[in-house]
Amino acid sequence: MVKILLLDTLIVLIYIISTQLLVIAFEQFKLIDADTLSIFDRSFILSCIYRSLLFIGFSTGYVYILKSFEDQKKVEKLERQNLISQLEKQSLENDLVQSQNNFLRSQINPHFLFNTLNFIYNDTRKKAPLAADAIMNLSEMMRYALKLPEASELVPLREEVEQIEHLINLHKLRTANTINLSLEVNGDLFGLRFPPLILLTLVENIFKHGNVSHSTQPAIIRIDYSLNTLMISTINMVNDNRGRHESHHVGLENVANRLKSFYKEDYVFKHYTDPLNRYVTEICINVINPLAKLNVTQ
């Protein structure tokens, strides 16, 4: 408060002095008569004080109004932020409740599903053994899919091969064993780890896009591991009945992206159609299996 009074007093003095200087200047240029006004004139000083106080009042009121608008905007902004924060908090709470419900369902549903499948398997094992085998293969595949780790982790290659066998068995049961397909596994896969679902994607592409019932050209899935090199290849006749434009590429792009995320540039992945109208995929990766020697000693 004292600072404001001192500032106002200073402004009044400056106004009086500047006004007197203007009067002197006007007298020099003969714009007004000399000695018309005097700095010692009481009415002159009072009029200067009155005008300066009037200007100070107007300016103070103007500043106060501006500040009031700014304060009001700040209050409105804080209220909006508070409202947004409350809405975000409510949304997070709803998401948390939804996540908890989903988690509970994920704990309940698999047990219910597998118990039901087990019941159906036991009930149909004697009456319809083929259907029972299909249920068992499907159950094993679903159990494996549910226990898969994070997408950034590797899984035992042996387990991936087992899922391929289940998938092949399901298709054989579905088509009354008319599939002409062979699975060849060479080398010791003990301890060898590989990105999940890549092999399954390649095999599903064979059944989806390939001709697996050709009498003289069997579909082949070959997995070979030797000298720290893993070779995976698939070969199948192209199914002309489904059209040339039906493409493997979406699944194969996913395979390429997953291989790149795990092995960077240390892999080769090719897919093409050979002169015999067979679709071929080839994966070559340099992989050191730290458990290979351990398995030999056993």
Side-chain angles (χ1 to χ4, degrees), residues 10-245:
L10 181 61
I11 293 173
V12 171
L13 291 175
I14 293 173
Y15 180 79
I16 293 172
I17 294 172
S18 60
T19 303
Q20 182 62 35
L21 292 175
L22 286 174
V23 170
I24 295 173
F26 288 163
E27 290 177 349
Q28 293 295 325
F29 289 101
K30 307 299 183 180
L31 296 176
I32 59 176
D33 296 333
D35 298 328
T36 300
L37 296 173
S38 174
I39 195 170
F40 301 108
D41 188 358
R42 180 182 176 185
S43 61
F44 173 79
I45 295 175
L46 290 176
S47 63
C48 289
I49 293 174
Y50 172 79
R51 284 193 296 271
S52 60
L53 291 176
L54 187 62
F55 294 152
I56 291 173
F58 278 123
S59 60
T60 302
Y62 179 76
V63 171
Y64 177 80
I65 292 172
L66 289 180
K67 192 171 187 309
S68 297
F69 283 131
E70 290 178 358
D71 291 340
Q72 185 177 359
K73 289 181 180 179
K74 289 180 180 179
V75 171
E76 292 175 352
K77 183 177 180 181
L78 290 174
E79 290 177 348
R80 283 196 301 269
Q81 290 177 347
N82 186 40
L83 179 60
I84 293 173
S85 299
Q86 290 179 353
L87 292 175
E88 290 177 348
K89 182 180 179 181
Q90 184 65 39
S91 177
L92 289 174
E93 290 175 352
N94 292 337
D95 290 342
L96 178 59
V97 172
Q98 185 65 33
S99 298
Q100 291 172 342
N101 291 337
N102 291 338
F103 176 76
L104 291 175
R105 282 197 295 268
S106 70
Q107 296 299 305
I108 296 171
N109 289 347
H111 294 294
F112 173 78
L113 174 64
F114 291 127
N115 288 338
T116 304
L117 288 175
N118 187 56
F119 167 77
I120 297 173
Y121 169 77
N122 291 327
D123 191 56
T124 59
R125 183 172 53 177
K126 296 179 180 179
K127 302 175 184 177
L130 292 179
D133 288 342
I135 292 170
M136 181 57 65
N137 281 280
L138 178 61
S139 176
E140 290 300 321
M141 292 188 68
M142 295 180 68
R143 192 185 306 274
Y144 177 74
L146 287 173
K147 74 172 187 178
L148 278 177
E150 297 294 331
S152 60
E153 298 181 18
L154 300 172
V155 298
L157 184 56
R158 273 184 173 181
E159 294 184 1
E160 289 286 294
V161 174
E162 289 178 1
Q163 302 315 306
I164 290 175
E165 293 172 343
H166 291 313
L167 183 60
I168 293 172
N169 290 336
L170 281 173
H171 281 279
K172 284 182 177 180
L173 292 170
R174 184 177 61 85
T175 59
N177 204 20
T178 60
I179 292 175
N180 188 9
L181 182 147
S182 65
L183 171 63
E184 303 173 6
V185 180
N186 303 308
D188 184 13
L189 303 185
F190 174 78
L192 196 63
R193 301 180 73 82
F194 192 71
L197 303 180
I198 286 180
L199 286 177
L200 281 172
T201 300
L202 296 177
V203 176
E204 285 178 350
N205 272 343
I206 292 177
F207 288 112
K208 183 177 180 180
H209 303 287
N211 181 357
V212 293
S213 301
H214 199 282
S215 58
T216 60
Q217 293 290 342
I220 301 172
I221 304 165
R222 185 178 292 116
I223 302 171
D224 182 86
Y225 181 67
S226 61
L227 302 177
N228 296 329
T229 300
L230 177 63
M231 297 285 299
I232 299 173
S233 62
T234 65
I235 304 173
N236 61 272
M237 293 296 296
V238 174
N239 192 342
D240 292 322
N241 293 331
R242 298 183 181 178
R244 294 272 184 176
H245 298 292

